[in-house]
Amino acid sequence: MSEYTRDFFLDLDTHDELASFRRDFQIPEAMIYLDGNSLGAMPVSAQKRALDVVSREWGQDMITSWNKNGWFHLSESLGDKIAGIIGAKAGEVMACDATGINLYKAMTMALKMRTDRKVILMEGSNFPTDNYMAQGLIKQLGQGHEILFVEGEDILAAITDKVAVVSLTQVHYKTGKLLDMKAITEKAHAVGALVIWDLCHSAGALPIKLNDCKADFAVGCGYKYLNGGPGAPAFIFVAKRHQGKAAQPLTGWWSHAAPFAFEQDYRPADNIWQCLTGTQPILSLSVLECGLDIFGRVDMIKLREKSMNLCDYFIELAESHCAVFGFSLASPRERERRGSQVSFTHENGFAVMQALIAQNIVGDFRAPHIIRFGFTPLYTRYVDVWDAVMGLKNIMENEIWRKPEYNQRTAVT
Ligand SMILES: *Cc1c(COP(=O)(O)O)cnc(C)c1O
C-alpha cells in the first residue's frame, strides 16, 4: 500500500461519477474539509436563495408570502423532499425545530402508544442530547419510566417485552458505527416495542429505507450531511400507520386540525402536521431546501460506494503512515458496518486536530480522545484523502501539535 501515490488518487477523481457535484458547493480553495458530518458545506445556490427570500419574498411580497411564496407549507414540502432521501413517503416527514425537540415529540407519542411498559432502551454513549431529552421527558411525565442504557453489540438481546420504546442513533457520532436498522426494528416489533431512529449521521450519508424496515418514528438533522446551513431545521418522521394515534405534547396552533379557525380548544391534526408546534423559521427553511434539492440528482447507491471507498483509503493510508505515532482506529474496519466517517483515538487528539485545522485540514475532536474525519462524497475528492493523511503525518513527524497554541481549549470543538 505504500505504493500509493498522489497521482493514484488524482486519477480516481478523474473517473469519479460524482465529481461534478463539488461545483454545487462553495469550498475554500486551500481547504480540505472533512467536517461535513458536523456542518455541511454551503450549496452555491444558498446565497442567491437567501437573498431572494429576504429581499423579494419578505421585503416586497411581505405577508402575502405565506400563500404566494409557499411559506405556510414549507415544512411539509421540505419534509416530502427529505422523505425521498430517507426511504419514507410524502406526508410522513416534517422539516421543523431541532433534533432534540423532535425526539421529545416522537418519544412522547411512542410512550403514549405503549402505556403498559416503562422501559426506554437507548445507547449510553449516544450523542448526549438524545439521552438528556429522554431524561427530561421521564421527569416531566412522572410515570415511573426508566432508561435502560445498552451498547452496540448487546442491543438486540436487550430488547425484551419490558421495553416500550427503542431509541437509537443509526450511525454513532463518535465511532461511525452503523447499526442494523432492519434487524433491530424487527426484533423490537416482535416483542411489541416501538422504535425511534435518529438519523443525524446517516441522512444524506447513506441510503436509508425507513419504510422498508417498518420504522415507527425517526428524527434527524438538517445541517450535517444534508447541507442545510448552520442551525438548519431538523426533521421528524412518523409512519403513516401511526399518524393520528397519539398526539405530540407541544400542542401549538400549527399542530391544530384547523389553525386558522382560531378555535378556543385544542384539536390535534390527524396527519404529520400534528408534529409542528408554531411558526417556522422561513429563512432557515428556505436555505435548507438548497441542500435538499441537490440530493434530488444524487444516486445514493453511488454516493455510498464512494463514501466507503474514501473511508477505506483513509484508514489504509493513515494506518500505514501514522500508526507509529500512536493512533488507533476507533471506527469499524468493515465498510458495511461504518457510516461516512472515520475516527481515531490519540492521547493528544485535541492538539493534533488543532494543528491540522491550522493547516487547513478540517476535522473535529470529540472528548476525551477521538479525532473525527467526515467524508462527504458530494464534495470530498479522493486526493483530499491523500493530502489529509500527508498533513497528519507532517504534524506528527515534526511534532507541530506540541505548540502551546494548539493545546488551548475553545468553546466549540
Ligand atoms: C447532531 C446531533 C443532534 C443535534 O441535536 P439538535 O437538537 O438539533 O442540536 C442530535 N442527535 C444526534 C445523534 C446528533 O448527532
Side-chain angles (χ1 to χ4, degrees):
M1 145 233 351
S2 41
E3 72 268 22
Y4 284 134
T5 59
R6 192 167 192 274
D7 282 343
F8 171 82
F9 291 95
L10 284 171
D11 191 55
L12 288 178
D13 285 321
T14 311
H15 296 100
D16 173 17
E17 287 180 74
L18 299 178
S20 64
F21 280 104
R22 188 174 162 90
R23 289 198 290 276
D24 287 299
F25 296 92
Q26 179 168 308
I27 316 232
E29 195 52 48
M31 184 181 284
I32 298 173
Y33 192 68
L34 303 178
D35 214 3
N37 54 327
S38 205
L39 176 65
M42 191 190 88
V44 172
S45 57
Q47 217 163 4
K48 220 170 112 197
R49 182 72 190 107
L51 192 65
D52 188 51
V53 69
V54 169
S55 56
R56 181 179 58 83
E57 295 187 5
W58 182 17
Q60 289 169 35
D61 296 343
M62 298 182 78
I63 198 159
T64 66
S65 285
W66 287 105
N67 292 314
K68 185 175 172 186
N69 292 312
W71 286 1
F72 187 63
H73 289 276
L74 206 48
S75 283
E76 185 184 32
S77 59
L78 266 57
D80 289 349
K81 289 184 181 184
I82 293 170
I85 302 170
I86 60 177
K89 291 192 297 266
E92 290 186 314
V93 180
M94 272 287 177
C96 59
D97 302 326
T99 311
I101 296 172
N102 289 334
L103 184 78
Y104 192 88
K105 298 179 213 167
M107 196 171 280
T108 309
M109 288 189 266
L111 290 175
K112 278 191 203 166
M113 291 167 63
R114 291 292 181 272
T115 44
D116 54 328
R117 300 181 181 196
K118 299 297 175 200
V119 177
I120 303 167
L121 190 150
M122 304 183 83
E123 229 180 351
S125 64
N126 188 12
F127 187 80
T129 204
D130 296 40
N131 301 347
Y132 299 164
M133 291 308 272
Q135 287 168 342
L137 173 59
I138 286 175
K139 269 200 174 160
Q140 175 74 14
L141 291 173
Q143 294 168 2
H145 289 99
E146 56 175 301
I147 300 177
L148 174 65
F149 284 129
V150 181
E151 296 298 315
E153 303 306 321
D154 303 327
I155 290 171
L156 271 180
I159 304 175
T160 66
D161 62 7
K162 301 265 181 300
V163 176
V165 178
V166 176
S167 179
L168 296 166
T169 298
Q170 190 187 11
V171 174
H172 197 281
Y173 81 110
K174 267 190 189 170
T175 63
K177 184 172 173 179
L178 173 65
L179 295 179
D180 187 337
M181 178 183 280
K182 192 154 205 164
I184 290 172
T185 307
E186 258 172 27
K187 174 77 193 278
H189 289 172
V191 299
L194 294 167
V195 188
I196 304 170
W197 285 103
D198 184 329
L199 307 177
C200 275
H201 288 276
S202 40
L206 44 96
I208 299 171
K209 298 179 170 174
L210 281 181
N211 281 331
D212 189 51
C213 295
K214 301 198 167 53
D216 300 294
F217 300 90
V219 298
C221 221
Y223 54 80
K224 291 172 182 161
Y225 292 92
L226 294 179
N227 309 306
F235 62 86
I236 180 167
F237 157 90
V238 181
K240 206 86 184 192
R241 66 186 181 281
H242 293 324
Q243 291 178 16
K245 287 213 176 134
Q248 62 90 2
L250 307 173
T251 48
W253 71 303
W254 278 44
S255 72
H256 193 277
F260 284 92
F262 299 107
E263 296 169 7
Q264 172 180 291
D265 296 315
Y266 186 72
R267 274 197 299 133
D270 63 2
N271 56 23
I272 195 69
W273 278 78
Q274 207 277 318
C275 289
L276 292 181
T277 293
T279 312
Q280 291 298 311
I282 299 301
L283 304 187
S284 295
L285 280 170
S286 301
V287 169
L288 166 61
E289 187 163 23
C290 299
L292 301 180
D293 281 343
I294 293 173
F295 280 95
R297 295 182 272 124
V298 175
D299 177 341
M300 291 303 285
I301 304 291
K302 285 184 183 155
L303 178 136
R304 175 66 172 154
E305 181 64 25
K306 181 177 173 186
S307 151
M308 294 192 295
N309 290 343
L310 290 167
C311 292
D312 276 351
Y313 283 126
F314 186 77
I315 292 171
E316 210 176 326
L317 280 181
E319 287 192 332
S320 70
H321 290 276
C322 301
V324 293
F325 303 113
F327 293 95
S328 55
L329 184 65
S331 297
R333 194 170 291 282
E334 307 93 296
R335 44 168 42 200
E336 285 81 16
R337 295 185 53 229
R338 228 175 25 225
S340 202
Q341 66 172 71
V342 174
S343 304
F344 285 95
T345 51
H346 189 278
E347 62 173 339
N348 302 109
F350 178 80
V352 169
M353 186 48 73
Q354 290 305 304
L356 272 173
I357 293 169
Q359 303 206 357
N360 249 335
I361 300 166
V362 180
D364 63 20
F365 169 79
R366 286 293 174 263
H369 296 306
I370 290 212
I371 56 173
R372 253 186 354 170
F373 301 90
F375 292 89
T376 42
L378 295 183
Y379 52 85
T380 305
R381 298 166 298 198
Y382 285 100
V383 75
D384 294 334
V385 171
W386 171 268
D387 289 343
V389 173
M390 292 307 126
L392 182 62
K393 185 179 182 184
N394 171 44
I395 280 162
M396 301 317 295
E397 255 174 7
N398 299 304
E399 302 198 358
I400 296 170
W401 60 271
R402 286 191 191 276
K403 288 190 185 173
E405 65 259 41
Y406 300 142
N407 288 271
Q408 235 132 46
R409 300 277 167 145
T410 43
V412 175
T413 59

